[in-house]
Amino acid sequence: MATDLDRLYGCTAKPSSVLNFIFMSIANMARKMLISTSSSKAENTEKWKLTDHLRFMVMLISRLMLWVLRFFMDLFSCSMISSPDYHLGGSSSVRRFQLSPYSSSATEEALPSCGLILRNRVDVDGLAVKALVKALTHVLALLNEIPASSRKYQYTMAMADQIMEHNARHGHSAVLHVNRLALASSFTRTSALLYRCLQVQTSPSGDYGDSWHLRAIKAIPFGSCIASYMKAITMFLNAAFSWFDTATTLFQRRDYNVEPDIMAEKLAQELLWVTNKLRCYGDVNEALVQWSLASGLASLSLNASPRVQGSTVKISAFLFRELTRKDLEIARQVKFRLLVLWTPLFCHASNGHAYPILTSFQMAEIERAMDEVISNSPAMEQEFILTTWLENYVVSVSDWPNLGLAYDRWCQSTREMVHH
């Protein structure tokens, strides 16, 4: 019974070897001095010498130190070294809470430990959210790498759909944010891959204009010959670097024999799919910002294949309709960049030659959205947007988008400003 109680209250710890050694040494020394003093007293009846007095005083001091050490050894072994709080790893507030569970003061003293539990819970939730984001991002990245002809392509897309749908059904705000983070990352990755793929198609046979240093070389005698050689070398190096960059980034995948135009078509369709998913899960603003910054992709899309142009036109049209939403706060600079960058594609895209990209109702809806955004923009931005539209509209074969009413309205408002 005593052993069980000692084990329960932590008193089974042995005293340290150092304290035990000191205790036994002092005890032996005191015992020897007591025997020596007693024998000298019995043999000699004379008065004690100075050495006998000193030996007796040392014996008394040793006895006193012995009892003091015994007291501290008992105190350390049962109170401090093996206390229940020490084994629990908690503070004294935990012990007081356990002894008095019905007192309010004990509850208040236990709050720090409860806060520690809450912090641990928050850390666990954060790790779980990060794990979900990594998993969904990985599945979406694999979707870019798997060829569309593979039977596992639809399986991977269905898996991504299932993960996002279950996250949406969960209802927790952190879990809902998982879809937005993963889709935003996939939008950035897919648009960058599409840009590199289109760059490969246009760079080797593209038109490299004369830069300022080539024009300066042409101004000197015999500079035209030197400039032509330098232009040829520049074209060769740009083409080589472009192919090398694509070989190391774009085609490091399982379908090494895929053609760039087929890959561009696949990536454009995946980008359209990701854009629709961003709209479904309430983060279309991220797509608007990224699409408004894709100036390189907008210029390369003008010379892309009709199927790639069809997907990019659908993405732009989808995002243009979002510009007029009242419940969505969109920065004015984002609206301006979107109209300036992607209006030329609307004018030059091969709409309806291979298959209809947009219906007549969708075209009219997008024209109204563009007109509304332009009319709410400052006069300087209206001038720039409408000038860009007119430059591309008059040289294209398409009659859409027709922003003639917006142009006339801007001219009329400018006349009124001059009159006032």
Side-chain angles (χ1 to χ4, degrees), residues 125-355:
D125 293 343
L127 291 176
V129 170
K130 288 181 181 178
L132 287 174
V133 172
K134 286 165 121 182
L136 184 55
T137 303
H138 185 228
V139 174
L140 295 175
L142 289 176
L143 198 64
N144 295 139
E145 298 180 1
I146 301 174
S149 58
S150 174
R151 63 186 180 89
K152 296 296 181 67
Y153 182 77
Q154 295 298 329
Y155 173 80
T156 308
M157 182 174 288
M159 178 181 288
D161 272 329
Q162 183 179 5
I163 294 174
M164 289 185 287
E165 184 178 355
H166 289 174
N167 291 341
R169 288 180 180 177
H170 189 274
H172 196 278
S173 58
V175 180
L176 290 175
H177 196 54
V178 169
N179 293 346
R180 299 166 189 167
L181 290 176
L183 287 171
S185 176
S186 179
F187 190 93
T188 304
R189 173 186 169 86
T190 308
S191 58
L193 291 175
L194 179 59
Y195 170 74
R196 292 174 184 174
C197 196
L198 294 178
Q199 196 177 29
V200 168
Q201 299 178 25
T202 57
S203 292
S205 58
D207 182 17
Y208 295 89
D210 293 339
S211 57
W212 66 270
H213 62 276
L214 290 179
R215 292 194 297 268
I217 292 174
K218 285 183 179 181
I220 64 176
F222 303 101
S224 299
C225 298
I226 300 174
S228 61
Y229 282 115
M230 293 185 64
K231 185 176 181 179
I233 293 173
T234 303
M235 292 176 62
F236 173 76
L237 291 177
N238 288 336
F241 284 134
S242 178
W243 279 104
F244 178 76
D245 180 67
T246 305
T248 55
T249 56
L250 181 60
F251 297 107
Q252 287 180 350
R253 56 188 83 244
R254 297 175 178 85
D255 51 334
Y256 292 100
N257 297 323
V258 114
E259 294 295 331
D261 54 346
I262 299 177
M263 180 58 63
E265 180 183 347
K266 171 182 175 292
L267 292 172
Q269 292 177 358
E270 290 173 357
L271 191 60
L272 177 61
W273 179 78
V274 172
T275 306
N276 289 325
K277 292 298 178 183
L278 280 171
R279 173 65 174 83
C280 292
Y281 296 112
D283 198 22
V284 72
N285 206 356
E286 179 66 25
L288 288 168
V289 173
Q290 293 194 33
W291 203 242
S292 69
L293 299 173
S295 57
L297 183 59
S299 60
L300 292 176
S301 298
L302 296 174
N303 299 320
S305 63
R307 291 185 179 273
V308 175
Q309 284 187 347
S311 297
T312 52
V313 166
K314 287 181 179 179
I315 295 171
S316 302
F318 176 81
L319 295 177
F320 274 33
R321 287 197 297 267
E322 300 295 316
L323 296 179
T324 57
R325 285 177 51 182
K326 304 301 182 182
D327 59 336
L328 192 62
E329 295 183 2
I330 305 172
R332 182 172 53 84
Q333 294 81 3
V334 173
K335 297 180 179 180
F336 172 73
R337 290 195 301 261
L338 277 172
L339 291 173
V340 171
L341 288 181
W342 296 101
T343 298
L345 179 63
F346 286 167
C347 298
H348 295 285
S350 301
N351 185 21
H353 292 301
Y355 60 96

Side-chain angles (χ1 to χ4, degrees), residues 76-90:
F76 280 119
S77 61
C78 292
S79 299
M80 297 180 65
I81 296 177
S82 302
S83 64
D85 292 340
Y86 178 79
H87 292 290
L88 288 174

Side-chain angles (χ1 to χ4, degrees), residues 20-201:
N20 193 19
F21 175 75
I22 295 173
F23 178 80
M24 295 304 298
S25 300
I26 296 175
N28 291 329
M29 184 179 63
R31 180 177 58 82
K32 291 178 181 179
M33 287 184 176
L34 179 60
I35 294 173
S36 175
T37 305
S38 299
S39 61
S40 62
K41 174 72 175 176
E43 293 174 358
N44 302 319
T45 58
E46 299 178 357
K47 293 183 179 180
W48 282 7
K49 298 179 182 180
L50 181 59
T51 54
D52 296 332
H53 287 284
L54 291 176
R55 189 181 302 171
F56 186 75
M57 291 177 61
V58 170
M59 183 192 67
L60 292 178
I61 295 174
S62 301
R63 284 287 183 178
L64 181 61
M65 291 179 61
L66 187 66
W67 290 110
V68 171
L69 280 176
R70 179 61 182 271
F71 171 77
F72 278 108
M73 287 172 65
D74 294 340
L75 181 65
F76 280 119
S77 61
C78 292
S79 299
M80 297 180 65
I81 296 177
S82 302
S83 64
D85 292 340
Y86 178 79
H87 292 290
L88 288 174
S91 61
S92 60
S93 61
V94 179
R95 177 172 55 84
R96 286 191 293 268
F97 178 73
Q98 292 173 345
L99 293 176
S100 303
Y102 300 103
S103 62
S104 59
S105 61
T107 306
E108 294 176 357
E109 291 172 350
L111 285 178
S113 60
C114 296
L116 179 61
I117 295 174
L118 292 176
R119 286 195 296 271
N120 292 336
R121 180 62 182 173
V122 171
D123 293 340
V124 171
D125 293 343
L127 291 176
V129 170
K130 288 181 181 178
L132 287 174
V133 172
K134 286 165 121 182
L136 184 55
T137 303
H138 185 228
V139 174
L140 295 175
L142 289 176
L143 198 64
N144 295 139
E145 298 180 1
I146 301 174
S149 58
S150 174
R151 63 186 180 89
K152 296 296 181 67
Y153 182 77
Q154 295 298 329
Y155 173 80
T156 308
M157 182 174 288
M159 178 181 288
D161 272 329
Q162 183 179 5
I163 294 174
M164 289 185 287
E165 184 178 355
H166 289 174
N167 291 341
R169 288 180 180 177
H170 189 274
H172 196 278
S173 58
V175 180
L176 290 175
H177 196 54
V178 169
N179 293 346
R180 299 166 189 167
L181 290 176
L183 287 171
S185 176
S186 179
F187 190 93
T188 304
R189 173 186 169 86
T190 308
S191 58
L193 291 175
L194 179 59
Y195 170 74
R196 292 174 184 174
C197 196
L198 294 178
Q199 196 177 29
V200 168
Q201 299 178 25

